Amino acid sequence: LKIKNIISIKDMNRTDIDSIHAKAEEMEKVYYSGSEILKGKILGVLFFEPSTRTRLSFESAMIRLGGSVLGFATDAATSIKKGETLADTIRTVSNYCDAIAIRHPSDGAAKVAAEFSTVPIINAGSGSEEHPTQALLDLYTIRKEIGKIDGLTIMLAGDLKYGRTIHSLIHALSNYDVKLILASPDELSLNKQTIKEIKNKGIKIITTNKIKSYISDVDVIYMTRIQKERFLDPSEYNKLKGKFILTSEMLTNAKENMIIMHPLPRVDEITPDVDNTKHARYFKQVYYGVVTRMAILDYVLKGE
Ligand code: CP
């Protein structure tokens, strides 16, 4: 049987994404009641980097579907610390479970894991490169909260250089008829190669170093944290921190139905006064993360 990995969102087309979303819609019906469709299956969660949402939502999704989980939230207590390689760790853990969700600080780590695994690999965040399951849940959130993806103007804001959620989301969005506003400090702009690839797919892109100028035009603001952990020079981070912030006062002229999303965690880039506005959806997004990951697990472990 062909192993169904989820390594990069670029491996998925619009039909694939729509099919995961259709399954997520079904999963909403068993979110509270639970299901036994993955009874007897085990998910390995190997997290070499901190996480709250991705790890716990994968665990919640697996348990809600009747399956079990094993793994670690830090490599500090594993034989990696004795010098074991990622390849040997994956070769080993493949014997303990039916699929592996891996988060790793290095770009390409999930792809390497897939080369050595005998079970499906799910990329739960690799370096600053990709976070494909986040992109799937982000699009599901837009679809559920606005009712469509085609025809929308979407602002991707914050750290577009290091943010892996951005790198996956922009490719996922390029399967749809959207207009994109890329808003970031000049030092944290999206790489030119990605902009070129997305434009070549016929997507209109505007770049800016100010959020405020375009707020009244957009249907979605997708805000992101400046990725402190990716800066080689801490002084560069200190220069940029606190400079790209969304406040409720900036939303005065926003469209009535505009939604604000964030992959979380948030530091200071969305002030708490935004949380109680009609636009905030970042905690609802967390819920959509569970049902989307239930759909992903079903696809990887059982689905057609
Ligand atoms: N969105 C996201 O990846 O959050 P965590 O780092 O908490 O998993």
Side-chain angles (χ1 to χ4, degrees):
L1 281 178
K2 191 175 178 299
I3 289 181
K4 293 190 222 162
N5 297 308
I6 297 186
I7 306 297
S8 168
I9 199 73
K10 292 185 220 169
D11 299 332
M12 293 188 144
N13 59 28
R14 181 172 171 139
T15 309
D16 299 326
I17 295 170
D18 291 349
S19 139
I20 295 275
H21 287 174
K23 183 63 78 175
E25 190 83 50
E26 283 177 39
M27 293 301 178
E28 292 208 47
K29 295 177 195 145
V30 295
Y31 177 83
Y32 291 108
S33 60
S35 157
E36 301 245 296
I37 60 171
L38 295 184
K39 190 171 169 33
K41 301 283 187 191
I42 301 173
L43 175 70
V45 284
L46 309 192
F47 275 57
F48 296 82
E49 260 198 347
S51 167
T52 296
R53 278 144 293 272
T54 312
R55 185 172 65 82
L56 295 179
S57 65
F58 265 120
E59 294 192 2
S60 174
M62 194 64 186
I63 293 164
R64 284 173 194 281
L65 293 177
S68 310
V69 292
L70 56 78
F72 51 82
T74 161
D75 61 0
T78 72
S79 287
I80 295 274
K81 289 295 168 202
K82 300 176 202 162
E84 186 164 53
T85 61
L86 177 63
D88 285 358
T89 302
I90 295 295
R91 280 184 176 117
T92 302
V93 178
S94 300
N95 291 279
Y96 305 149
C97 53
D98 302 291
I100 293 172
I102 179 170
R103 167 165 293 189
H104 200 281
S106 303
D107 290 4
K111 191 161 182 281
V112 170
E115 282 166 26
F116 294 95
S117 181
T118 54
V119 298
I121 294 289
I122 302 169
N123 182 358
S126 49
S128 56
E129 170 199 48
E130 278 245 28
H131 196 346
T133 67
Q134 178 74 44
L136 290 169
L137 82 87
D138 292 338
L139 288 197
Y140 188 65
T141 302
I142 295 172
R143 182 164 253 156
K144 290 290 291 190
E145 291 298 309
I146 301 188
K148 61 177 187 175
I149 300 171
D150 286 321
L152 300 182
T153 300
I154 297 172
M155 179 189 283
L156 305 180
D159 185 345
L160 310 186
K161 181 177 180 182
Y162 296 117
R164 58 187 167 207
T165 67
I166 292 287
H167 299 154
S168 288
L169 180 57
I170 194 164
H171 282 287
L173 283 167
S174 72
N175 290 295
Y176 297 84
D177 175 22
V178 292
K179 183 173 153 190
L180 300 177
I181 316 282
L182 304 183
S184 70
D186 293 331
E187 297 87 339
L188 296 176
S189 58
L190 187 65
N191 69 79
K192 288 190 170 56
Q193 176 60 27
T194 302
I195 293 181
K196 194 171 154 201
E197 283 172 33
I198 302 300
K199 279 187 173 168
N200 284 345
K201 288 182 83 175
I203 306 294
K204 187 168 180 210
I205 292 182
I206 294 170
T207 56
T208 175
N209 56 13
K210 292 184 185 61
I211 308 179
K212 205 170 175 180
S213 332
Y214 289 95
I215 284 181
S216 59
D217 300 333
V218 302
D219 301 293
V220 179
I221 298 176
Y222 187 91
M223 195 72 195
T224 59
R225 171 180 68 91
I226 296 183
Q227 306 282 299
K228 182 181 181 183
E229 64 275 29
R230 308 280 174 229
F231 283 75
L232 295 175
D233 178 357
S235 70
E236 286 302 308
Y237 170 75
N238 289 330
K239 263 196 278 179
L240 291 166
K241 76 171 183 189
K243 288 227 170 116
F244 223 71
I245 289 182
L246 186 66
T247 66
S248 63
E249 176 268 322
M250 293 161 75
L251 303 173
T252 316
N253 296 320
K255 288 184 187 175
E256 184 69 16
N257 297 326
M258 186 273 282
I259 64 167
I260 300 169
M261 297 170 58
H262 192 308
L264 303 177
R266 140 180 75 170
V267 181
D268 57 4
E269 61 279 2
I270 298 180
T271 54
D273 55 340
V274 176
D275 299 358
N276 295 324
T277 68
K278 63 187 173 209
H279 304 292
R281 292 293 190 288
Y282 27 95
F283 291 110
K284 190 78 190 285
Q285 199 177 339
V286 172
Y287 158 75
Y288 291 129
V290 182
V291 290
T292 305
R293 290 188 170 118
M294 288 165 82
I296 289 166
L297 290 171
D298 179 73
Y299 163 76
V300 162
L301 285 164
K302 179 185 150 286
E304 301 311 314

